[in-house]
Amino acid sequence: DRLLVSGGDGSHGQCKVWDPVARKVVGDVQGHRTSVFQCRFAKDSSRLVSVARDGRVLVHDAGNFAKPIFAKVLHNIARSADFCHMDPALLATCGQDGNVQVLDLRVPYLPYEQLAQFSSCVSNYVSLNPLNGISRAHSGYACGDVQFLRTDCLLSCGKDNRILRWNLSYSNGGAYGACAAQYLGHSTGVRGLAMTSNGSIVSCCEDGSLRSWGFDDMGVIQRQLQALKTEISSLNKQSDAAAKQDEDVSALKAKIVQLRKEKTRLEMEAQKHVTPTGHINASAAL
C-alpha cells in the first residue's frame, strides 16, 4: 500500500505516517525532540528517514516506527536526507552547515567513531575530518536538499542558487565527491529537488519559482559539439586530399603542355632536315 509521511513543526517534533486513501494516521514516528524538516520513504518503502532542526537524522524500518535503527547528529541543522534510489542501505544527508554526508547503514560506526576506539589515534591525531562525504558542497552556503540517484551519482541544491551533480566514483581517474555538472538559472536559494518519471530534474526556489531541467543537457550539447568537431575534421581531411589531388592534376596538365611544346619543336626540327633548302642545277649532254 502507498503511504504518506509528514513532519511537524514544534518542540515535540512529531512525524506521522498516513494512509491517503483512508485519510487517517497509521503510525507515529518516534525519536525526534525538535521540528522535523523533512521525511522520506526509500524507493522500495522498506525504510523511512527523517531529519530535524537539532541535526538529528533518524532511520526507521517501515514496520516499526517506535524505535529507530539509526540515530545520529550529523549536522548543526539537518535539512534533507534521501536513500539511494538503487540501494536503500545507502543514505545521503545535507544541512545548514553546507556539508553533504554519505552513509552506509550496514556499517555500525561512523568513520571518526571507529577511530575513537583506538587510544593511540585519540592521543596522537593532529587533525580529524569527521565528514564522510562532500565538505562545503555549496561553497559554504547552506544545503537545501539532496537526491541520491545512483551509488555513484548524487544531486544537491543550496543557498548559492545552484544545483550540483556529484561524482561518487573513483572510476576513470575521477576524484570522489568531484562536481560533475551544475545547473544555473535560479536567482535565489534553491530549497528542494525532485525527479520526474522521465528522468528530468524539478527544482523549487525561495522566490516561489519552479524549474525543470534535463538531467544531462550540457553533456548532450558537449557530445553534439564533439560530433561536429569530428565531422569538421573529417571534412578538412577530405578537403586537403581533394586540394592535393587538384594540385597533382594541375601539375600533370602543365607537364602535358610542356610535352606538347616539346613535340612541336621536335617536329619542326625534323622538317628542317627533310625539306630542300636550295635548288639543284643539272645539265644534260645532248
Side-chain angles (χ1 to χ4, degrees):
D1 294 338
R2 305 287 288 185
L3 299 175
L4 295 178
V5 60
S6 63
D9 188 14
S11 60
H12 298 293
Q14 294 182 356
C15 183
K16 296 183 179 295
V17 179
W18 301 77
D19 183 335
V21 177
R23 299 184 181 183
K24 66 178 182 179
V25 175
V26 295
D28 286 306
V29 180
Q30 304 296 317
H32 284 296
R33 297 185 291 269
T34 57
S35 301
V36 175
F37 284 161
Q38 191 185 76
C39 37
R40 278 178 176 152
F41 278 109
K43 290 298 180 183
D44 63 358
S45 300
S46 62
R47 287 173 171 174
L48 170 70
V49 62
S50 53
V51 302
R53 177 183 288 276
D54 61 2
R56 286 169 62 85
V57 176
L58 303 184
V59 177
H60 290 77
D61 280 328
N64 183 6
F65 299 123
K67 185 178 180 181
I69 61 171
F70 176 91
K72 299 286 183 183
V73 175
L74 299 180
H75 304 276
N76 55 354
I77 298 175
R79 287 290 181 184
S80 173
D82 191 29
F83 294 103
C84 177
H85 298 185
M86 297 175 63
D87 184 355
L90 302 177
L91 179 71
T93 69
C94 70
Q96 193 76 13
D97 53 14
N99 297 327
V100 174
Q101 297 260 24
V102 180
L103 309 170
D104 188 337
L105 298 175
R106 293 165 296 196
V107 179
Y109 299 100
L110 298 179
Y112 66 91
E113 292 176 330
Q114 196 166 13
L115 288 175
Q117 297 179 27
F118 301 97
S119 58
S120 58
C121 290
V122 174
S123 59
N124 296 313
Y125 80 92
V126 176
S127 63
L128 177 65
N129 177 16
L131 185 66
N132 184 38
I134 305 162
S135 177
R136 296 173 56 85
H138 288 264
S139 304
Y141 288 91
C143 190
D145 199 2
V146 288
Q147 285 282 322
F148 203 168
L149 306 182
R150 302 190 305 267
T151 56
D152 62 349
C153 179
L154 180 147
L155 294 175
S156 67
C157 64
K159 289 279 287 185
D160 60 350
N161 309 347
R162 297 185 299 165
I163 302 166
L164 302 177
R165 188 170 88 235
W166 300 95
N167 173 32
L168 303 182
S169 170
Y170 293 100
S171 62
N172 301 321
Y176 182 90
C179 182
Q182 57 180 336
Y183 306 82
L184 305 177
H186 282 297
S187 57
T188 56
V190 188
R191 285 283 187 90
L193 296 172
M195 300 299 297
T196 66
S197 58
N198 65 358
S200 297
I201 303 167
V202 178
S203 58
C204 64
C205 184
E206 290 178 353
D207 62 8
S209 65
L210 291 173
R211 284 181 179 265
S212 178
W213 316 77
F215 178 76
D216 196 24
D217 283 349
M218 185 58 68
V220 171
I221 292 172
Q222 289 174 341
R223 287 190 290 273
Q224 289 175 346
L225 285 174
Q226 186 58 46
L228 288 174
K229 288 179 181 178
T230 302
E231 186 176 352
I232 290 171
S233 176
S234 176
L235 289 174
N236 285 336
K237 290 179 181 179
Q238 293 177 20
S239 177
D240 292 342
K244 186 177 185 305
Q245 188 176 12
D246 289 342
E247 290 175 2
D248 293 343
V249 170
S250 297
L252 288 173
K253 287 181 178 179
K255 193 170 183 179
I256 289 171
V257 171
Q258 288 297 113
L259 289 172
R260 284 177 176 170
K261 288 181 180 180
E262 183 68 12
K263 177 186 176 186
T264 301
R265 187 186 68 77
L266 291 174
E267 287 176 345
M268 291 178 66
E269 287 290 327
Q271 190 69 20
K272 289 179 181 179
H273 291 289
V274 298
T275 301
T277 57
H279 295 283
I280 298 176
N281 295 321
S283 61
L286 298 176

